Amino acid sequence: MSVAISIKNAVKRYGDSTIIPDLSLDIREGEFFTLLGPSGCGKTTLLRMIAGFNSIEGGDFYFNDKRINDLDPAKRNIGMVFQNYAIFPHYTVRQNVEFGLKNRGVPAPERRAKSEEFLRLMQIENLADRKPDRMSGGQQQRVALARALVIQPDVLLMDEPLSNLDAKLRVDMRSAIRRTQHQVGITTVYVTHDQEEAMAISDRIAVMKGGVLQQVGTPKSIYQRPANLFVSSFIGRSNVVEAELVVEGGETFLSFSNGKRAEIKNIEESFKKNQKVKLSVRPEEFILCEKEEELIHARITESIFLGLNTHYTVELETGDRAEIIQESTISNILNVGEEISLKMNMEKVNVFTEDGEKNILVDACNAKGV
């Protein structure tokens, strides 16, 4: 059985240091939910509070309607997958997978049947009699996942499970984890600092900074309409351009330091006033254009051909550096030193207050966030 998780006003302190000041969050039943943020933001601390491994200094934690604050970790019916696998080196794969079932007193024939089921699910049935020292990191992580799932937990908790694997194995394993979670349908809380990993596997993501939720949403909504400049910079690559919002006759324009400007139609009504703003422009949202359409002039300082796309580093006329991505063509790869004219896709750029704390576009303000 899977459960919904509800966290209300959680507080975590270590002595005089407050790691999580006041956090509330709802995770849906059967959802693949990821806690994402830089090192030290409190994501693993929160995961361990859900597991019962960390004390709770304030607030309430629920599995469905059951308050679990004081419930022993062994009675929470959770499966846990760690960064370092934590499988027993002196046991075979099958013995590792059966370990939790044996502890629960499951009879040997049933243990065997269940372990076989999850060995097949994780595609390691041919390794059943092998010991961990004869296996790759990816294979060991599959064993750890099978062991966590075979006990049929209500919640699966995963703490940076792929960080010790090389790049190709990480991609392979995240696909396996996502596929397995879909098949089993278990509520999963996943911790990572890897934005691409979070985007690839999650139903929803909570971006954290300093123990505070910055935004909660689908990968698409967080990428396209980040709540603030921190989220925009943390999720994917982003160029920050300073501008001024100008309101004339009910219409809104972005005015740049060179005096050029462009209309933008999606500003929330309460923010329609003359003010300094910061734009977040994804590399693919800069568009090469003719001189008469130009918003910003730039010079190519680096060109990297990557097959389908070519990535350019440019120096803007403001002196700032920016990254742009253009589809590669046979005849038109730009050269270092070349002068170019740029405009922006105004439907996709994000506009923030001068301090970067608030996205002032209508669909960002109206989005269901934290």
Side-chain angles (χ1 to χ4, degrees):
M1 180 179 115
S2 201
V3 300
I5 302 171
S6 182
I7 302 169
K8 301 183 186 302
N9 308 112
V11 177
K12 179 61 192 170
R13 299 188 190 94
Y14 291 108
D16 295 331
S17 178
T18 300
I19 307 302
I20 297 175
D22 182 7
L23 186 148
S24 296
L25 178 65
D26 290 309
I27 299 169
R28 300 162 188 156
E29 180 181 348
E31 183 174 37
F32 198 118
F33 192 92
T34 296
L35 300 172
L36 174 68
S39 297
C41 73
K43 54 190 185 295
T44 293
T45 297
L46 183 62
L47 190 82
R48 291 177 62 85
M49 292 168 81
I50 296 171
F53 300 155
N54 279 353
S55 61
I56 299 170
E57 278 66 53
D60 298 291
F61 286 68
Y62 294 90
F63 284 179
N64 289 336
D65 296 326
K66 183 176 182 179
R67 186 176 181 273
I68 62 166
N69 287 45
D70 303 314
L71 190 65
D72 187 274
K75 296 181 179 179
R76 297 189 185 197
N77 196 26
I78 58 170
M80 190 92 186
V81 180
F82 299 93
Q83 178 178 341
N84 62 355
Y85 320 137
I87 56 178
F88 302 115
H90 56 292
Y91 282 0
T92 64
V93 167
R94 180 180 285 108
Q95 288 171 329
N96 266 286
V97 174
E98 290 185 0
F99 180 80
L101 296 172
K102 188 174 182 180
N103 272 2
R104 295 183 177 203
V106 176
E110 188 178 344
R111 288 204 308 267
R112 180 73 176 226
K114 282 186 174 292
S115 65
E116 290 290 343
E117 175 188 349
F118 282 89
L119 289 171
R120 285 193 299 272
L121 183 65
M122 295 310 304
Q123 300 177 349
I124 49 173
E125 64 269 31
N126 60 319
L127 305 175
D129 298 318
R130 191 174 296 185
K131 289 189 176 179
D133 61 356
R134 296 174 53 214
M135 298 165 60
S136 69
Q139 290 169 335
Q140 291 184 47
Q141 195 58 287
R142 287 173 185 263
V143 175
L145 187 56
R147 185 181 63 184
L149 289 171
V150 74
I151 61 172
Q152 296 181 290
D154 294 332
V155 175
L156 177 64
L157 305 177
M158 308 186 77
D159 187 12
E160 301 270 13
L162 307 184
S163 59
N164 287 337
L165 304 180
D166 64 39
K168 184 179 185 305
L169 267 178
R170 281 203 302 272
V171 173
D172 291 344
M173 273 304 300
R174 77 188 188 199
S175 297
I177 288 170
R178 183 63 171 143
R179 182 180 62 250
T180 303
Q181 194 270 344
H182 268 253
Q183 288 178 274
V184 178
I186 186 172
T187 305
T188 300
V189 185
Y190 189 98
V191 163
T192 184
H193 64 273
D194 187 316
Q195 307 97 308
E196 183 178 309
E197 188 173 296
M199 297 275 285
I201 61 177
S202 309
D203 293 320
R204 285 192 303 151
I205 298 170
V207 182
M208 295 181 66
K209 176 188 177 186
V212 177
L213 294 178
Q214 303 295 307
Q215 187 172 4
V216 178
T218 64
K220 180 182 177 182
S221 67
I222 287 178
Y223 183 84
Q224 293 182 341
R225 287 294 181 251
N228 55 44
L229 196 55
F230 170 80
V231 175
S232 176
S233 301
F234 194 79
I235 298 285
R237 287 170 291 193
S238 184
N239 302 297
V240 179
V241 178
E242 294 186 356
E244 187 171 348
L245 184 69
V246 177
V247 182
E248 289 182 0
E251 296 182 327
T252 47
F253 301 87
L254 292 171
S255 177
F256 299 94
S257 59
N258 57 11
K260 296 176 182 178
R261 65 184 196 174
E263 186 177 4
I264 187 160
K265 298 182 177 181
N266 195 23
I267 300 295
E268 167 64 32
E269 195 66 35
S270 61
F271 289 96
K272 285 186 177 180
K273 59 185 178 182
N274 292 354
Q275 60 179 303
K276 292 182 179 180
V277 294
K278 288 182 178 175
L279 308 188
S280 168
V281 188
R282 301 290 186 190
E284 65 273 18
E285 291 161 8
F286 271 123
I287 302 169
L288 290 171
C289 64
E290 299 298 325
K291 185 72 174 177
E292 58 269 18
E293 298 178 291
E294 177 185 280
L295 289 176
I296 297 180
H297 194 75
R299 181 177 61 86
I300 305 290
T301 59
E302 186 177 28
S303 172
I304 302 174
F305 176 76
L306 293 175
L308 177 63
N309 296 313
T310 301
H311 292 219
Y312 300 100
T313 302
V314 303
E315 183 180 336
L316 303 177
E317 59 186 292
T318 58
D320 297 319
R321 291 166 63 87
E323 181 182 3
I324 65 174
I325 296 175
Q326 298 290 308
E327 184 178 354
S328 302
T329 63
I330 297 295
S331 59
N332 192 25
I333 300 296
L334 302 172
N335 298 312
V336 172
E338 193 167 342
E339 303 281 331
I340 58 173
S341 296
L342 296 172
K343 60 181 181 179
M344 305 166 195
N345 185 337
M346 286 297 167
E347 293 183 356
K348 291 189 175 182
V349 299
N350 287 281
V351 185
F352 301 97
T353 51
E354 187 179 12
D355 62 7
E357 290 299 312
K358 180 72 175 176
N359 191 328
I360 64 175
L361 298 181
V362 170
D363 41 358
C365 290
N366 293 341
K368 292 181 179 179
V370 177

